[in-house]
Amino acid sequence: VRCMAHIINLAVQAALTTMKAVPSEELESYRVQEGLAYTRINAIYSEKEEVVNALTKLRKHIYVFRNRRGWKDSLRSHAIATGIKPVTLTIDMPVRWNSTYHMLQNALLMEAPITALCASQTLDISMRDIQITSKEWELLHALTDFFEIFKRISEKVQADGYPTLNYCVPYYLRLMDKIKKMKKTIKHISIDEACTAAFNKLDDYFSLATSQRSSHSTVATICDPRFNFSIFDFYLPESFYNISKERARAQFAACYNKYKARDNDIRAEEIDAMYNKDEDMPREVDSEDEMFKHRKPILQEVEWRRWLNEPGVDKPDTNVLKYWQAKQYQYPIIAQIARNYLAIPATSAASERVFSQGADIVTKKRNRLLPSTIRYLLCLRDWGVIVDDEDVEDISQDIG
Protein backbone atom coordinates (compact mmCIF):
# COMPACT_ATOMS: atom_id res chain seq x y z
CA VAL A 1 0.00 0.00 0.00
CA ARG A 2 1.39 3.39 -0.96
CA CYS A 3 1.96 5.80 1.91
CA MET A 4 -1.13 8.01 2.13
CA ALA A 5 0.93 11.03 3.19
CA HIS A 6 3.20 10.52 0.19
CA ILE A 7 0.19 10.41 -2.15
CA ILE A 8 -1.12 13.66 -0.67
CA ASN A 9 2.29 15.21 -1.26
CA LEU A 10 2.14 14.03 -4.89
CA ALA A 11 -1.22 15.76 -5.25
CA VAL A 12 0.26 19.00 -3.86
CA GLN A 13 3.23 18.72 -6.22
CA ALA A 14 0.83 18.18 -9.13
CA ALA A 15 -1.00 21.37 -8.14
CA LEU A 16 2.26 23.34 -7.90
CA THR A 17 3.38 22.00 -11.27
CA THR A 18 0.10 23.09 -12.84
CA MET A 19 0.62 26.58 -11.41
CA LYS A 20 4.26 26.51 -12.60
CA ALA A 21 5.22 27.29 -9.02
CA VAL A 22 7.28 24.24 -8.00
CA PRO A 23 9.90 25.37 -5.44
CA SER A 24 13.55 25.00 -6.27
CA GLU A 25 15.60 22.34 -4.51
CA GLU A 26 18.37 24.86 -3.86
CA LEU A 27 17.86 27.85 -1.62
CA GLU A 28 20.44 29.87 -3.56
CA SER A 29 18.14 30.03 -6.57
CA TYR A 30 16.22 32.80 -4.78
CA ARG A 31 19.29 34.94 -4.18
CA VAL A 32 18.71 38.68 -4.65
CA GLN A 33 21.79 40.76 -5.28
CA GLU A 34 21.82 44.06 -3.48
CA GLY A 35 20.76 46.87 -5.78
CA LEU A 36 19.66 44.40 -8.49
CA ALA A 37 16.35 43.08 -7.21
CA TYR A 38 14.53 43.80 -10.49
CA THR A 39 13.97 40.57 -12.41
CA ARG A 40 11.66 39.18 -15.05
CA ILE A 41 8.96 38.61 -12.43
CA ASN A 42 8.26 42.35 -12.55
CA ALA A 43 7.11 42.01 -16.16
CA ILE A 44 3.44 41.84 -17.09
CA TYR A 45 2.14 38.29 -16.58
CA SER A 46 -1.05 36.68 -17.77
CA GLU A 47 -3.70 35.75 -15.23
CA LYS A 48 -2.61 32.12 -15.33
CA GLU A 49 0.92 33.10 -14.24
CA GLU A 50 -0.14 35.30 -11.34
CA VAL A 51 0.72 32.56 -8.85
CA VAL A 52 4.30 32.06 -10.00
CA ASN A 53 4.74 35.84 -9.92
CA ALA A 54 3.48 36.16 -6.34
CA LEU A 55 5.30 33.09 -5.01
CA THR A 56 8.59 34.03 -6.67
CA LYS A 57 8.39 37.48 -5.14
CA LEU A 58 7.61 36.01 -1.72
CA ARG A 59 10.50 33.53 -1.90
CA LYS A 60 12.92 36.28 -2.87
CA HIS A 61 11.71 38.44 0.01
CA ILE A 62 12.14 35.56 2.46
CA TYR A 63 15.67 34.96 1.17
CA VAL A 64 16.52 38.60 1.89
CA PHE A 65 14.93 38.50 5.35
CA ARG A 66 16.82 35.34 6.21
CA ASN A 67 20.26 36.26 4.89
CA ARG A 68 20.66 40.02 5.39
CA ARG A 69 21.18 41.08 8.96
CA GLY A 70 19.83 44.60 8.52
CA TRP A 71 16.61 43.37 6.91
CA LYS A 72 16.15 40.68 9.52
CA ASP A 73 16.51 43.13 12.42
CA SER A 74 14.28 45.72 10.74
CA LEU A 75 11.52 43.17 10.15
CA ARG A 76 11.69 42.11 13.76
CA SER A 77 11.44 45.75 14.92
CA HIS A 78 8.44 46.43 12.65
CA ALA A 79 6.70 43.31 13.94
CA ILE A 80 7.18 44.29 17.58
CA ALA A 81 6.06 47.85 16.83
CA THR A 82 2.81 46.58 15.30
CA GLY A 83 2.17 44.20 18.21
CA ILE A 84 2.95 41.04 16.24
CA LYS A 85 5.10 38.26 17.63
CA PRO A 86 8.06 37.82 15.23
CA VAL A 87 7.96 34.59 13.23
CA THR A 88 10.88 32.91 11.48
CA LEU A 89 10.23 32.87 7.74
CA THR A 90 10.97 29.69 5.79
CA ILE A 91 11.24 28.86 2.10
CA ASP A 92 9.42 25.81 0.78
CA MET A 93 11.35 22.84 -0.58
CA PRO A 94 10.07 19.95 -2.74
CA VAL A 95 11.31 17.28 -0.30
CA ARG A 96 9.51 18.81 2.69
CA TRP A 97 5.84 17.92 3.01
CA ASN A 98 3.54 20.89 3.70
CA SER A 99 6.51 23.24 3.35
CA THR A 100 4.66 25.52 0.92
CA TYR A 101 1.78 25.84 3.37
CA HIS A 102 4.11 26.64 6.27
CA MET A 103 5.95 29.21 4.14
CA LEU A 104 2.69 30.97 3.26
CA GLN A 105 1.31 30.73 6.79
CA ASN A 106 4.38 32.32 8.38
CA ALA A 107 4.57 35.00 5.70
CA LEU A 108 0.91 35.96 6.15
CA LEU A 109 1.43 36.30 9.90
CA MET A 110 4.12 38.85 9.07
CA GLU A 111 2.19 40.49 6.22
CA ALA A 112 1.80 43.88 7.91
CA PRO A 113 5.48 44.23 8.99
CA ILE A 114 6.71 43.03 5.58
CA THR A 115 4.49 45.51 3.73
CA ALA A 116 5.45 48.40 6.01
CA LEU A 117 9.17 47.62 5.84
CA CYS A 118 9.26 47.23 2.04
CA ALA A 119 7.37 50.52 1.58
CA SER A 120 9.60 52.59 3.87
CA GLN A 121 13.01 50.91 3.76
CA THR A 122 16.17 52.54 2.46
CA LEU A 123 18.39 49.46 2.83
CA ASP A 124 17.98 48.46 -0.83
CA ILE A 125 15.86 50.70 -3.03
CA SER A 126 15.77 48.11 -5.81
CA MET A 127 13.65 45.83 -3.59
CA ARG A 128 10.71 48.18 -4.17
CA ASP A 129 10.62 46.93 -7.75
CA ILE A 130 9.48 43.52 -6.56
CA GLN A 131 7.29 44.66 -3.69
CA ILE A 132 4.32 42.37 -3.09
CA THR A 133 1.10 44.15 -4.01
CA SER A 134 -2.22 43.96 -2.17
CA LYS A 135 -3.67 41.84 -4.98
CA GLU A 136 -0.77 39.39 -4.64
CA TRP A 137 -1.25 39.20 -0.87
CA GLU A 138 -4.89 38.36 -1.54
CA LEU A 139 -3.75 35.59 -3.87
CA LEU A 140 -1.35 34.26 -1.22
CA HIS A 141 -4.24 34.07 1.22
CA ALA A 142 -6.20 32.02 -1.33
CA LEU A 143 -3.22 29.72 -1.85
CA THR A 144 -2.94 29.18 1.90
CA ASP A 145 -6.59 28.12 2.04
CA PHE A 146 -5.93 25.67 -0.80
CA PHE A 147 -2.84 24.05 0.74
CA GLU A 148 -4.47 23.91 4.17
CA ILE A 149 -6.82 21.24 2.77
CA PHE A 150 -3.89 18.80 2.61
CA LYS A 151 -2.00 19.78 5.77
CA ARG A 152 -4.03 18.20 8.55
CA ILE A 153 -4.70 14.91 6.80
CA SER A 154 -1.08 14.45 5.69
CA GLU A 155 0.04 14.94 9.30
CA LYS A 156 -2.53 12.45 10.62
CA VAL A 157 -1.59 9.67 8.19
CA GLN A 158 2.20 9.95 8.19
CA ALA A 159 4.13 6.92 9.40
CA ASP A 160 4.89 8.30 12.88
CA GLY A 161 1.20 8.07 13.75
CA TYR A 162 1.02 4.39 12.67
CA PRO A 163 -2.24 4.85 10.75
CA THR A 164 -4.21 1.76 9.78
CA LEU A 165 -5.83 0.96 6.46
CA ASN A 166 -9.36 1.88 7.53
CA TYR A 167 -8.49 5.60 7.34
CA CYS A 168 -7.38 5.63 3.70
CA VAL A 169 -10.73 5.59 1.91
CA PRO A 170 -12.40 8.19 4.21
CA TYR A 171 -9.45 10.56 3.82
CA TYR A 172 -9.42 10.12 0.04
CA LEU A 173 -13.13 10.92 -0.07
CA ARG A 174 -12.81 13.87 2.31
CA LEU A 175 -9.93 15.43 0.38
CA MET A 176 -11.66 15.11 -2.98
CA ASP A 177 -14.90 16.48 -1.52
CA LYS A 178 -13.13 19.55 -0.08
CA ILE A 179 -11.36 20.17 -3.39
CA LYS A 180 -14.66 20.00 -5.29
CA LYS A 181 -16.21 22.51 -2.88
CA MET A 182 -13.24 24.86 -3.25
CA LYS A 183 -13.52 24.77 -7.04
CA LYS A 184 -17.04 26.19 -6.76
CA THR A 185 -15.90 29.23 -4.78
CA ILE A 186 -12.39 29.95 -6.11
CA LYS A 187 -11.91 33.13 -8.12
CA HIS A 188 -8.43 32.52 -9.52
CA ILE A 189 -8.01 30.53 -12.73
CA SER A 190 -4.60 29.16 -11.74
CA ILE A 191 -5.85 27.83 -8.39
CA ASP A 192 -8.88 26.34 -10.12
CA GLU A 193 -6.56 24.42 -12.46
CA ALA A 194 -4.45 23.38 -9.46
CA CYS A 195 -7.59 21.99 -7.80
CA THR A 196 -8.30 19.96 -10.93
CA ALA A 197 -4.75 18.58 -11.06
CA ALA A 198 -4.76 17.63 -7.36
CA PHE A 199 -8.23 16.05 -7.65
CA ASN A 200 -7.20 13.96 -10.66
CA LYS A 201 -4.07 12.72 -8.88
CA LEU A 202 -6.05 11.70 -5.78
CA ASP A 203 -8.78 10.14 -7.90
CA ASP A 204 -6.22 7.99 -9.75
CA TYR A 205 -4.80 6.60 -6.51
CA PHE A 206 -8.27 6.20 -5.00
CA SER A 207 -9.27 4.09 -8.00
CA LEU A 208 -6.19 1.93 -7.50
CA ALA A 209 -6.84 1.56 -3.76
CA THR A 210 -10.46 0.51 -4.28
CA SER A 211 -10.16 -1.49 -7.50
CA GLN A 212 -11.53 -5.00 -7.82
CA ARG A 213 -8.08 -6.48 -7.27
CA SER A 214 -7.38 -4.33 -4.21
CA SER A 215 -10.31 -4.50 -1.82
CA HIS A 216 -8.42 -4.33 1.48
CA SER A 217 -8.99 -0.58 1.99
CA THR A 218 -12.71 -0.88 1.29
CA VAL A 219 -13.20 -3.86 3.60
CA ALA A 220 -11.20 -2.22 6.40
CA THR A 221 -13.27 0.97 6.09
CA ILE A 222 -16.60 -0.87 6.26
CA CYS A 223 -15.41 -2.85 9.30
CA ASP A 224 -14.80 0.41 11.18
CA PRO A 225 -18.03 1.21 13.08
CA ARG A 226 -17.31 4.93 12.77
CA PHE A 227 -17.46 4.71 8.96
CA ASN A 228 -19.20 1.51 7.84
CA PHE A 229 -20.85 1.86 4.42
CA SER A 230 -22.40 5.22 5.30
CA ILE A 231 -19.10 6.97 4.54
CA PHE A 232 -19.66 6.17 0.86
CA ASP A 233 -23.26 7.43 0.94
CA PHE A 234 -22.15 10.65 2.64
CA TYR A 235 -19.30 11.60 0.27
CA LEU A 236 -20.68 9.95 -2.89
CA PRO A 237 -24.38 10.86 -2.95
CA GLU A 238 -24.56 11.44 -6.70
CA SER A 239 -26.12 8.72 -8.82
CA PHE A 240 -23.11 8.35 -11.12
CA TYR A 241 -21.14 7.01 -8.12
CA ASN A 242 -23.53 4.07 -7.74
CA ILE A 243 -21.13 1.78 -9.62
CA SER A 244 -18.33 2.58 -7.18
CA LYS A 245 -20.62 1.98 -4.19
CA GLU A 246 -21.93 -1.28 -5.59
CA ARG A 247 -18.36 -2.44 -6.17
CA ALA A 248 -17.53 -1.63 -2.54
CA ARG A 249 -20.60 -3.55 -1.39
CA ALA A 250 -19.65 -6.52 -3.59
CA GLN A 251 -16.07 -6.50 -2.28
CA PHE A 252 -17.27 -6.65 1.31
CA ALA A 253 -19.78 -9.39 0.48
CA ALA A 254 -17.07 -11.43 -1.28
CA CYS A 255 -14.77 -11.08 1.72
CA TYR A 256 -17.60 -12.11 4.05
CA ASN A 257 -18.41 -15.16 1.91
CA LYS A 258 -14.78 -16.23 2.00
CA TYR A 259 -14.66 -16.03 5.80
CA LYS A 260 -18.09 -17.65 6.09
CA ALA A 261 -17.00 -20.59 3.90
CA ARG A 262 -13.93 -21.07 6.04
CA ASP A 263 -16.05 -20.93 9.20
CA ASN A 264 -18.50 -23.45 7.71
CA ASP A 265 -15.64 -25.84 6.95
CA ILE A 266 -14.43 -25.59 10.52
CA ARG A 267 -17.92 -26.17 11.90
CA ALA A 268 -18.47 -29.11 9.53
CA GLU A 269 -15.32 -30.76 10.81
CA GLU A 270 -16.44 -30.20 14.41
CA ILE A 271 -19.87 -31.69 13.67
CA ASP A 272 -18.31 -34.69 11.93
CA ALA A 273 -16.06 -35.23 14.91
CA MET A 274 -19.00 -35.03 17.31
CA TYR A 275 -21.08 -37.36 15.10
CA ASN A 276 -18.34 -39.95 14.97
CA LYS A 277 -17.97 -39.67 18.72
CA ASP A 278 -21.72 -40.17 19.21
CA GLU A 279 -21.71 -43.22 16.92
CA ASP A 280 -19.12 -44.88 19.10
CA MET A 281 -21.12 -44.27 22.28
CA PRO A 282 -23.74 -46.88 23.32
CA ARG A 283 -27.34 -45.64 22.97
CA GLU A 284 -30.22 -46.17 25.36
CA VAL A 285 -33.01 -48.51 24.28
CA ASP A 286 -35.76 -45.96 25.04
CA SER A 287 -33.98 -42.69 24.06
CA GLU A 288 -35.80 -39.33 24.12
CA ASP A 289 -33.49 -37.62 21.59
CA GLU A 290 -36.23 -37.34 18.94
CA MET A 291 -38.16 -34.96 21.21
CA PHE A 292 -35.51 -32.27 20.73
CA LYS A 293 -35.04 -32.46 16.93
CA HIS A 294 -38.37 -31.03 15.72
CA ARG A 295 -37.31 -27.35 15.51
CA LYS A 296 -36.74 -25.75 12.10
CA PRO A 297 -33.68 -23.55 11.57
CA ILE A 298 -34.22 -19.86 12.26
CA LEU A 299 -34.09 -17.77 9.07
CA GLN A 300 -32.50 -14.37 9.47
CA GLU A 301 -30.91 -11.75 7.27
CA VAL A 302 -27.36 -12.39 6.13
CA GLU A 303 -24.85 -11.08 8.65
CA TRP A 304 -23.04 -8.71 6.31
CA ARG A 305 -26.31 -7.10 5.23
CA ARG A 306 -27.30 -6.54 8.86
CA TRP A 307 -23.90 -4.93 9.48
CA LEU A 308 -24.32 -2.47 6.59
CA ASN A 309 -27.56 -1.30 8.21
CA GLU A 310 -26.02 -1.06 11.68
CA PRO A 311 -26.25 2.49 13.14
CA GLY A 312 -22.85 4.09 13.05
CA VAL A 313 -20.81 5.34 15.98
CA ASP A 314 -20.52 9.12 15.89
CA LYS A 315 -17.61 9.43 18.33
CA PRO A 316 -14.20 9.77 16.59
CA ASP A 317 -12.31 8.56 19.67
CA THR A 318 -14.25 5.27 19.88
CA ASN A 319 -12.09 2.33 20.92
CA VAL A 320 -12.71 0.05 17.95
CA LEU A 321 -11.11 -2.95 19.66
CA LYS A 322 -13.49 -2.79 22.63
CA TYR A 323 -16.39 -2.18 20.27
CA TRP A 324 -15.75 -5.44 18.45
CA GLN A 325 -15.21 -7.29 21.71
CA ALA A 326 -18.80 -6.37 22.55
CA LYS A 327 -20.14 -7.12 19.06
CA GLN A 328 -18.30 -10.37 18.32
CA TYR A 329 -21.28 -12.56 19.29
CA GLN A 330 -23.77 -10.52 17.30
CA TYR A 331 -21.53 -10.43 14.20
CA PRO A 332 -19.15 -13.38 14.60
CA ILE A 333 -17.90 -13.54 10.99
CA ILE A 334 -17.47 -9.78 10.54
CA ALA A 335 -15.69 -9.65 13.90
CA GLN A 336 -13.11 -12.04 12.43
CA ILE A 337 -12.78 -9.84 9.34
CA ALA A 338 -12.39 -6.72 11.49
CA ARG A 339 -9.75 -8.43 13.63
CA ASN A 340 -7.64 -9.06 10.53
CA TYR A 341 -8.31 -6.01 8.35
CA LEU A 342 -8.31 -3.26 10.98
CA ALA A 343 -4.78 -4.24 11.99
CA ILE A 344 -3.32 -3.64 8.51
CA PRO A 345 -1.00 -0.58 8.52
CA ALA A 346 -1.74 2.05 5.91
CA THR A 347 1.93 2.32 5.01
CA SER A 348 5.05 0.17 5.23
CA ALA A 349 7.23 3.22 5.94
CA ALA A 350 7.39 2.51 9.68
CA SER A 351 8.62 -1.07 9.24
CA GLU A 352 11.02 -0.05 6.47
CA ARG A 353 12.46 2.57 8.80
CA VAL A 354 13.09 -0.14 11.40
CA PHE A 355 14.78 -2.40 8.84
CA SER A 356 17.03 0.44 7.66
CA GLN A 357 18.54 0.54 11.15
CA GLY A 358 20.05 -2.87 10.47
CA ALA A 359 23.08 -1.23 8.86
CA ASP A 360 23.87 0.41 12.21
CA ILE A 361 23.68 -2.95 13.99
CA VAL A 362 25.39 -5.31 11.55
CA THR A 363 28.81 -3.74 10.98
CA LYS A 364 32.26 -4.97 9.97
CA LYS A 365 33.14 -5.55 13.61
CA ARG A 366 29.80 -7.16 14.43
CA ASN A 367 28.84 -9.30 11.44
CA ARG A 368 28.24 -12.72 13.03
CA LEU A 369 25.00 -11.96 14.87
CA LEU A 370 22.26 -14.55 14.69
CA PRO A 371 19.09 -13.56 12.78
CA SER A 372 17.09 -13.82 15.98
CA THR A 373 19.54 -11.50 17.74
CA ILE A 374 19.28 -8.93 14.95
CA ARG A 375 15.50 -9.11 15.17
CA TYR A 376 15.60 -8.51 18.94
CA LEU A 377 17.98 -5.57 18.54
CA LEU A 378 15.88 -3.96 15.79
CA CYS A 379 12.79 -4.12 17.99
CA LEU A 380 14.61 -2.83 21.06
CA ARG A 381 16.00 0.15 19.14
CA ASP A 382 12.61 0.97 17.68
CA TRP A 383 10.99 0.79 21.12
CA GLY A 384 13.61 3.15 22.56
CA VAL A 385 15.16 0.59 24.91
CA ILE A 386 18.54 0.88 23.14
CA VAL A 387 19.86 4.37 22.50
CA ASP A 388 23.46 4.22 21.28
CA ASP A 389 25.93 1.73 19.80
CA GLU A 390 27.49 0.88 23.17
CA ASP A 391 24.15 -0.35 24.42
CA VAL A 392 23.70 -2.38 21.24
CA GLU A 393 27.07 -4.05 21.66
CA ASP A 394 26.48 -4.84 25.32
CA ILE A 395 22.95 -6.17 24.79
CA SER A 396 23.93 -8.20 21.73
CA GLN A 397 26.55 -9.96 23.85
CA ASP A 398 23.93 -10.70 26.51
CA ILE A 399 21.44 -12.00 23.93
CA GLY A 400 24.10 -14.03 22.14
Side-chain angles (χ1 to χ4, degrees):
V1 179
R2 295 294 299 273
C3 176
M4 183 70 183
H6 177 63
I7 293 171
I8 294 173
N9 186 54
L10 291 177
V12 174
Q13 293 301 318
L16 286 168
T17 302
T18 303
M19 294 185 290
K20 301 178 182 179
V22 178
S24 174
E25 295 184 0
E26 297 182 1
L27 189 64
E28 291 295 318
S29 62
Y30 304 114
R31 176 185 291 276
V32 178
Q33 295 183 11
E34 190 168 355
L36 298 174
Y38 179 84
T39 61
R40 181 177 175 273
I41 65 170
N42 202 37
I44 298 176
Y45 274 68
S46 65
E47 189 174 1
K48 288 187 177 181
E49 294 178 301
E50 59 183 355
V51 173
V52 65
N53 191 26
L55 284 177
T56 305
K57 280 186 177 182
L58 178 62
R59 289 165 179 154
K60 288 181 175 292
H61 277 76
I62 293 175
Y63 184 92
V64 171
F65 292 132
R66 286 171 58 92
N67 294 277
R68 295 187 190 175
R69 184 71 180 183
W71 283 83
K72 187 175 183 179
D73 294 341
S74 297
L75 181 63
R76 180 180 179 83
S77 300
H78 275 74
I80 295 174
T82 54
I84 298 175
K85 183 178 179 180
V87 177
T88 302
L89 301 178
T90 58
I91 295 182
D92 56 341
M93 300 293 287
V95 296
R96 298 176 186 170
W97 296 354
N98 293 322
S99 63
T100 302
Y101 171 79
H102 290 302
M103 178 188 73
L104 292 169
Q105 184 186 41
N106 292 338
L108 293 177
L109 291 174
M110 301 288 285
E111 177 183 353
I114 291 174
T115 303
L117 175 58
C118 292
S120 61
Q121 61 86 23
T122 57
L123 299 171
D124 186 352
I125 303 300
S126 66
M127 284 292 295
R128 296 182 183 179
D129 295 332
I130 59 171
Q131 184 173 348
I132 302 174
T133 64
S134 58
K135 183 179 179 180
E136 289 168 337
W137 279 116
E138 180 184 348
L139 175 60
L140 295 177
H141 278 279
L143 285 172
T144 305
D145 294 337
F146 170 67
F147 290 119
E148 190 174 12
I149 293 176
F150 306 92
K151 173 183 175 291
R152 181 176 181 181
I153 294 181
S154 63
E155 291 178 347
K156 288 179 72 68
V157 298
Q158 58 188 342
D160 290 341
Y162 295 96
T164 46
L165 201 60
N166 50 302
Y167 287 102
C168 289
V169 169
Y171 281 153
Y172 272 123
L173 295 176
R174 185 168 187 265
L175 273 175
M176 292 190 291
D177 181 67
K178 295 185 76 171
I179 292 174
K180 285 191 294 185
K181 290 179 179 178
M182 174 164 276
K183 279 180 64 65
K184 296 179 181 179
T185 59
I186 203 68
K187 300 178 181 179
H188 304 278
I189 295 177
S190 52
I191 301 181
D192 180 77
E193 293 179 350
C195 287
T196 302
F199 181 90
N200 292 338
K201 180 67 70 172
L202 290 170
D203 188 50
D204 290 342
Y205 279 103
F206 174 72
S207 299
L208 290 174
T210 57
S211 64
Q212 194 64 39
R213 295 184 178 181
S214 179
S215 61
H216 296 79
S217 299
T218 301
V219 174
T221 301
I222 296 177
C223 284
D224 193 322
R226 297 167 296 179
F227 304 131
N228 204 322
F229 194 79
S230 59
I231 195 74
F232 295 95
D233 292 329
F234 180 79
Y235 282 115
L236 304 175
E238 296 86 353
S239 59
F240 56 82
Y241 285 117
N242 287 342
I243 296 177
S244 299
K245 291 193 286 188
E246 287 302 319
R247 182 175 59 199
R249 190 188 301 270
Q251 288 174 340
F252 187 71
C255 180
Y256 171 84
N257 291 333
K258 182 176 67 175
Y259 274 72
K260 181 65 175 178
R262 186 180 66 179
D263 185 70
N264 289 340
D265 292 340
I266 295 174
R267 290 182 180 275
E269 291 180 0
E270 293 176 349
I271 293 174
D272 289 341
M274 292 178 61
Y275 179 78
N276 294 331
K277 183 178 179 181
D278 291 341
E279 287 292 326
D280 297 336
M281 294 179 62
R283 292 187 173 273
E284 297 182 11
V285 177
D286 189 19
S287 175
E288 299 178 350
D289 291 347
E290 71 277 1
M291 295 173 57
F292 306 98
K293 295 181 179 181
H294 65 280
R295 295 186 180 91
K296 296 181 179 180
I298 299 175
L299 298 178
Q300 60 180 357
E301 192 176 13
V302 181
E303 184 180 327
W304 71 268
R305 293 184 182 275
R306 287 192 289 116
W307 171 246
L308 294 187
N309 295 323
E310 179 77 14
V313 178
D314 57 358
K315 295 182 179 179
D317 57 346
T318 298
N319 189 317
V320 180
L321 179 60
K322 290 184 178 180
Y323 177 91
W324 276 113
Q325 285 179 340
K327 290 284 187 178
Q328 61 181 326
Y329 301 107
Q330 184 179 356
Y331 300 101
I333 304 300
I334 298 179
Q336 296 177 31
I337 301 174
R339 189 181 301 116
N340 293 335
Y341 278 78
L342 292 179
I344 301 175
T347 171
S348 61
S351 58
E352 291 173 1
R353 185 182 303 162
V354 175
F355 295 147
S356 65
Q357 296 176 359
D360 298 330
I361 296 175
V362 182
T363 62
K364 291 182 179 179
K365 294 183 178 180
R366 192 166 56 247
N367 58 10
R368 300 292 297 276
L369 296 175
L370 295 174
S372 58
T373 304
I374 297 175
R375 183 166 61 251
Y376 295 147
L377 294 174
L378 285 173
C379 292
L380 291 173
R381 286 192 65 152
D382 185 58
W383 298 338
V385 178
I386 301 176
V387 179
D388 51 35
D389 293 339
E390 293 181 1
D391 292 335
V392 171
E393 188 172 357
D394 295 339
I395 294 178
S396 63
Q397 291 176 359
D398 295 339
I399 295 176

